[in-house]
Amino acid sequence: MQADLESIFSADGALAHAVEGFRARPFQLEMAQAVSEAIRGNRMLIVEAGTGTGKTFAYLVPALLSGGKVILSTGTKTLQDQLFDRDIPMVRSALKAPVSVALLKGRANYVCHYHLAQTQAAGRLPTREDAGYLQRIASYAKNTRSGDKSNLADVPENAAVWSYVTSTRENCLGSSCEHFDECFVMEARKQALAADVVVVNHHLFFADVMLRDEGVAELLPACNTVIFDEAHDLPDTASLFFGERMSTSQLIELARDTRMEAMVSARDFAPLPEAALALDKAARDLRLSRTEDIARLPVNTLRDRGAFDDALSVVIEKLYKISTLLKTQAERSEGLEKCWQRAVALNEQIARWHEGGDDSIVRWIEVFNQSLQLNATPLSIAEIFRKQMSDHVRAWIFTSATLSVGGDFSHYSDDMGLTDAATACWDSPFDFQRQALLYAPPGMPDPNTREYTRAVVDAALPVVEASGGRAFLLFTSLRAMREAHETLKIEFEARGLPFPLLLQGESPRTELLDRFRKLGNAVLVGSQSFWEGVDVKGEALSLVVIDRLPFAPPDDPVLAARIDKMNREGRNSFIEYQLPQAVITLKQGAGRLIRDETDRGVLMICDPRLVSKSYGKRIVKSLPPMKRTRDLDEVIAFFQAKPAHSPAA
């Protein structure tokens, strides 16, 4: 196999003949060989591959040649589609590999015949616009083979009607559904079970592993290799699914579905819709018991807890009431029986959360604009994940551009329970000394002062002017992002700067990025959404400004509990946990700048702690080896050396 890989990745090999612009890269071949060895030996491998290494092909080639069943899991549905639609077909064609490939998404991506019919029968939707969308969806469902909502372009992906015509794990009737034989979800899963390569995303992978969803539980036992791309996201995703969550939205959906089922199958039993309305009100009142707009709050230190506790008690009472009534009507239809089962499950879940008592679990609530979620998250996922991996001998590959701190993987491997994994690290092949400059502006105030964001904008303005726009300004909080955007708007107008100003959230991310690329001199102000998974090659992006080192908020309930546990054990939580997390996140943000060997630009990190704190040296060592400066004139000279307005490479 290794000799074959050398040939495949050579300058005149299969990839060079099939892929336009392909160049032989030693690091890419070395990574492919390491992945191949891990697959053949059914071993665990953690791989960090810097931007430009070509890690996608480096794991796809050995995966497609392995002869076994492979699950590829990515960080987002966008990357999932990119793998399925572009990268895998390209490599499969180059290798002439006779492998079958399936794309598997979560239930919410497929039209459900049963819930579509129920919604049509009930005739109740939030808006007239949704009623129009319903007709289009019904027509689409009759003519599509996949049922994938992404293929119905004239109904917006975020339209409220989708929640009425798709299923969830809780409300799916399974094999007892009259539409089971024509179910789009089951058809997608049949294809996944039969395929040699299945492309999923991390959320779907963990949801299906933990929930043992019907049909999907067969995927993992049957596979020989699991490859996680964008593996730096796994700890957060795994924590989410190895814990428990219950939201007011689930309660409201249960109440809605109960009313719809009662209208069809229990019209003569008035107490049921009445109980559903009471549960709906109780759920909404629970959200209103918290005055915060968006917040993550630990239960044990919750302020003004009385109103929340009272509202939660009413929810528990109304949920018990509706489950009792549903039990008496369950035999009248499959839908009512499913609603009863959901009510019982929610009863048990809310009781576990309310009682607490497990020191290895942190209980907290998350407040959103329209809902409230009760969370129970494990302090450590290492043991749970190890157990999931030990059920069957297979290869596990974890890869990303950002998994280590200065080449040390211990933070990631300890977090994920991968202490027996082999590790490998390949730096980016780009010439950062020539292509990039790291600028730490002098005289910045303490990041915790009120004037800090204004100081960031003031320091960034002359650099933005020198770069001719073409900049990302990335902030660690939405509040700072919005403040900076308002200040920039005023300053651009006052100084007569002609750069289009874009703001995260004013359009979908893909649309914003397309506008940014086409404009060529825009300034995009963003937060978390633009720190990773964003690829802008060429001089359209010549400057990345990061406001502060991305330490997670110490009052985050899960982080605070983990810090407390480590400190009680006599460990240094800052050095062992908080700093490595910040470094990995910073590397993601910094990675937006140089995406190609012809790219050129400045990375500006405004946080004075990069220079003033002893740990700053450790952070800088983890970044690509750029030339460093604190001199604004040197930054301006860097841009003047090759005009930023020259044609993009």
Side-chain angles (χ1 to χ4, degrees):
M1 168 71 92
Q2 302 295 37
D4 290 342
L5 291 176
E6 287 182 20
S7 171
I8 290 166
F9 285 95
S10 69
D12 61 350
L15 291 173
H17 286 295
V19 180
E20 186 178 347
F22 178 85
R23 278 187 292 274
R25 308 175 206 180
F27 288 173
Q28 187 178 46
L29 172 60
E30 290 174 22
M31 178 177 164
Q33 290 170 333
V35 170
S36 176
E37 288 173 6
I39 291 174
R40 284 189 292 117
N42 288 318
R43 293 197 295 270
M44 288 184 283
L45 175 66
I46 306 173
V47 179
E48 180 174 280
T51 308
T53 305
K55 67 179 170 67
T56 305
F57 282 13
Y59 67 70
L60 279 180
V61 169
L64 267 58
L65 293 176
S66 67
K69 189 178 184 77
V70 179
I71 294 179
L72 291 178
S73 182
T74 70
T76 64
K77 281 190 283 189
T78 302
L79 291 171
Q80 202 183 346
D81 288 337
Q82 180 181 306
L83 267 175
F84 182 76
D85 294 328
R86 189 189 73 184
D87 297 334
I88 293 176
M90 201 181 293
V91 173
R92 181 172 59 178
S93 174
L95 300 178
K96 296 181 172 56
V99 296
S100 55
V101 186
L103 177 68
L104 185 60
K105 299 181 179 180
R107 288 180 172 279
N109 293 279
Y110 302 96
V111 177
C112 169
H113 291 293
Y114 175 79
H115 289 289
L116 173 61
Q118 292 296 96
T119 303
Q120 287 177 301
R124 290 187 179 182
L125 284 165
T127 67
R128 184 174 296 176
E129 189 175 38
D130 282 314
Y133 290 152
L134 180 64
Q135 291 181 351
R136 294 179 205 172
I137 293 170
S139 175
Y140 171 69
K142 291 177 182 175
N143 299 297
T144 177
R145 294 184 64 183
S146 71
D148 189 335
K149 72 179 189 180
S150 66
N151 295 328
L152 184 56
D154 56 351
V155 176
E157 196 170 339
N158 60 353
V161 69
W162 283 119
S163 69
Y164 287 77
V165 298
T166 55
S167 70
T168 65
R169 187 186 67 87
E170 291 84 6
N171 68 17
C172 173
L173 301 183
S175 57
S176 60
C177 178
E178 61 186 287
H179 301 281
F180 184 76
D181 290 340
E182 54 184 351
C183 175
F184 294 125
V185 172
M186 292 312 300
E187 180 56 33
R189 292 180 174 177
K190 284 177 193 171
Q191 292 179 18
L193 287 170
D196 301 308
V197 178
V198 186
V199 185
V200 300
N201 61 59
H202 299 338
H203 280 79
L204 180 61
F205 179 88
F206 281 107
D208 289 336
V209 164
M210 291 307 298
L211 299 172
R212 301 301 181 195
D213 208 352
E214 187 174 350
V216 178
E218 298 172 45
L219 273 179
L220 190 58
C223 87
N224 306 94
T225 301
V226 179
I227 299 176
F228 294 105
D229 198 350
E230 301 297 319
H232 60 275
D233 288 330
L234 285 181
D236 286 343
T237 308
S239 293
L240 191 69
F241 285 101
F242 289 156
E244 281 195 314
R245 300 166 292 158
M246 193 192 78
S247 73
T248 55
S249 297
Q250 285 175 277
L251 297 169
I252 290 168
E253 286 170 7
L254 171 63
R256 181 198 70 194
D257 291 349
T258 298
R259 288 199 307 274
M260 291 176 66
E261 293 291 346
M263 286 181 64
V264 175
S265 305
R267 284 181 175 273
D268 57 344
F269 191 67
L272 191 52
E274 291 169 6
L277 288 170
L279 177 61
D280 182 290
K281 182 179 185 304
R284 296 179 193 278
D285 287 346
L286 179 60
R287 165 60 189 91
L288 295 173
S289 72
R290 300 307 309 175
T291 56
E292 300 89 351
D293 287 333
I294 297 176
R296 294 160 65 98
L297 307 166
V299 173
N300 56 0
T301 60
L302 204 59
R303 295 178 184 172
D304 309 319
R305 186 164 173 174
F308 171 78
D309 283 344
D310 289 346
L312 184 61
S313 295
V314 175
V315 164
I316 292 171
E317 175 196 335
K318 302 304 181 187
L319 185 56
Y320 178 77
K321 171 79 170 180
I322 199 171
S323 64
T324 303
L325 292 172
L326 279 165
K327 184 178 181 180
T328 68
Q329 305 298 307
E331 62 183 18
R332 299 181 72 169
S333 75
E334 296 287 354
L336 284 171
E337 182 172 356
K338 195 65 180 181
C339 286
W340 171 52
Q341 292 169 357
R342 287 164 64 189
V344 170
L346 287 169
N347 259 311
E348 293 170 353
Q349 203 172 337
I350 202 169
R352 281 194 298 272
W353 189 90
H354 193 233
E355 289 163 10
D358 187 340
D359 291 340
S360 67
I361 300 289
V362 56
R363 291 184 303 137
W364 54 289
I365 66 173
E366 187 161 15
V367 183
F368 302 97
N369 285 328
Q370 302 292 328
S371 65
L372 180 146
Q373 186 164 280
L374 309 177
N375 300 279
T377 305
L379 287 175
S380 171
I381 61 167
E383 188 176 334
I384 306 170
F385 191 57
R386 263 199 307 267
K387 186 178 178 184
Q388 291 295 331
M389 290 192 296
S390 65
D391 71 333
H392 188 84
V393 176
R394 63 172 64 87
W396 296 82
I397 315 293
F398 303 81
T399 184
S400 169
T402 55
L403 292 175
S404 76
V405 178
D408 179 5
F409 290 89
S410 57
H411 168 71
Y412 186 79
S413 58
D414 290 349
D415 217 12
M416 291 293 293
L418 307 175
T419 49
D420 299 329
T423 61
C425 184
W426 287 279
D427 294 330
S428 169
F430 299 150
D431 184 356
F432 282 93
Q433 281 287 332
R434 179 184 60 81
Q435 292 179 252
L437 186 67
L438 173 59
Y439 174 47
M444 292 297 293
D446 186 291
N448 294 317
T449 55
R450 291 184 65 180
E451 66 272 15
Y452 183 73
T453 300
R454 174 74 214 207
V456 168
V457 173
D458 288 342
L461 275 166
V463 187
V464 170
E465 200 163 352
S467 69
R470 301 171 171 82
F472 275 6
L473 272 66
L474 302 179
F475 292 84
T476 52
S477 74
L478 291 171
R479 181 197 56 77
M481 179 192 79
R482 294 187 189 107
E483 181 186 339
H485 177 259
E486 286 301 314
T487 307
L488 283 166
K489 195 159 52 173
I490 294 167
E491 290 294 333
F492 278 15
E493 188 172 342
R495 299 177 185 218
L497 298 178
F499 314 130
L501 191 59
L502 309 179
L503 176 66
Q504 172 187 317
E506 63 186 9
S507 302
R509 188 173 80 159
T510 305
E511 188 178 312
L512 268 183
L513 283 171
D514 286 343
R515 285 178 61 200
F516 182 87
R517 292 187 187 99
K518 287 172 184 173
L519 286 165
N521 68 336
V523 174
L524 191 151
V525 184
S527 182
Q528 195 65 41
S529 291
F530 288 87
W531 279 71
E532 59 180 275
V534 172
D535 191 4
V536 180
K537 293 178 182 177
E539 290 176 357
L541 179 58
S542 297
L543 170 65
V544 172
V545 180
I546 292 175
D547 72 329
R548 66 178 78 200
L549 299 176
F551 289 105
D555 59 350
D556 178 272
V558 179
L559 176 62
R562 286 174 177 165
I563 290 172
D564 181 60
K565 181 176 183 288
M566 293 178 80
N567 291 341
R568 281 189 278 110
E569 292 169 350
R571 299 161 64 188
N572 187 326
S573 60
F574 180 77
I575 295 298
E576 290 184 46
Y577 194 77
Q578 292 168 276
L579 182 59
Q581 274 200 321
V583 168
I584 288 171
T585 305
L586 183 66
K587 285 168 69 176
Q588 279 290 327
R592 298 315 98 212
L593 182 64
I594 304 298
R595 307 298 298 175
D596 192 87
E597 59 189 16
T598 58
D599 282 0
R600 195 169 179 277
V602 170
L603 172 64
M604 178 176 174
I605 300 178
C606 300
D607 196 321
R609 293 173 293 183
L610 189 71
V611 176
S612 65
K613 298 294 185 182
S614 58
Y615 57 76
K617 292 179 181 177
R618 189 175 173 190
I619 294 173
V620 170
K621 278 183 67 176
S622 292
L623 293 172
M626 311 175 191
K627 184 180 177 183
R628 302 195 295 273
T629 186
R630 305 205 72 194
D631 186 346
L632 177 60
D633 289 338
E634 193 172 347
V635 174
I636 294 171
F638 178 90
F639 284 117
Q640 289 174 342
K642 181 183 179 187
H645 54 75
S646 63

